[in-house]
Amino acid sequence: NNGHYQLHISFVDATLGGEGTVPTINGKLKLKVPAGTQSGEVLKLRGKGIRDIDGRGRGDQLIHVQLWTPQQLTEEEKEKLRSFEEVTTFKTHSEIKRQGCFDIVRSFF
């Protein structure tokens, strides 16, 4: 009874939060995407799916979030993105674990 939909969002919306429009059985709904949403995360709209055969309830609408990655960037856009490589908050947990204690402290200066 659950409906499924893939919502493609930008890196900015995934990081800072944003809105998306998703189709449901009863029409389109605006969905707030929370800040820090990860690609592959599933958001749930309770009771927005398909009605049960016995008519006693409804399924949910499951929104599968996919991060959209731009494929064509200008040199200026590439440089701006590269500047984030040095910031610890933009590194994965496995990248941080590979760094030593002094490397992490050094990145603040």
Side-chain angles (χ1 to χ4, degrees):
N1 295 348
N2 294 333
H4 294 266
Y5 181 74
Q6 268 194 344
L7 177 66
H8 295 271
I9 62 172
S10 70
F11 169 75
V12 174
D13 286 340
T15 305
L16 302 176
E19 280 189 358
T21 302
V22 295
T24 67
I25 297 293
N26 296 325
K28 293 182 179 184
L29 285 177
K30 285 199 177 203
L31 172 72
K32 288 192 177 195
V33 177
T37 297
Q38 299 295 313
S39 187
E41 196 168 324
V42 179
L43 305 176
K44 186 187 294 188
L45 297 174
R46 292 191 186 274
K48 300 296 182 186
I50 301 166
R51 186 173 298 282
D52 288 338
I53 292 176
D54 62 9
R56 293 182 185 210
R58 280 190 110 113
D60 300 323
Q61 177 77 19
L62 303 176
I63 311 301
H64 302 267
V65 178
Q66 298 297 317
L67 190 62
W68 178 81
T69 306
Q71 296 177 348
Q72 296 178 354
L73 297 172
T74 66
E75 284 304 315
E76 182 182 353
E77 292 166 335
K78 289 177 185 179
E79 284 190 35
K80 285 181 180 181
L81 283 173
R82 284 189 189 108
S83 70
F84 289 113
E85 288 179 325
E86 303 301 319
V87 181
T88 305
T89 55
F90 283 90
K91 295 185 185 227
T92 63
H93 293 294
S94 59
E95 288 177 310
I96 293 171
K97 286 179 184 175
R98 279 187 271 156
Q99 286 184 335
C101 168
F102 294 110
D103 293 328
I104 294 171
V105 171
R106 189 178 313 128
S107 72
F108 289 110
F109 300 102

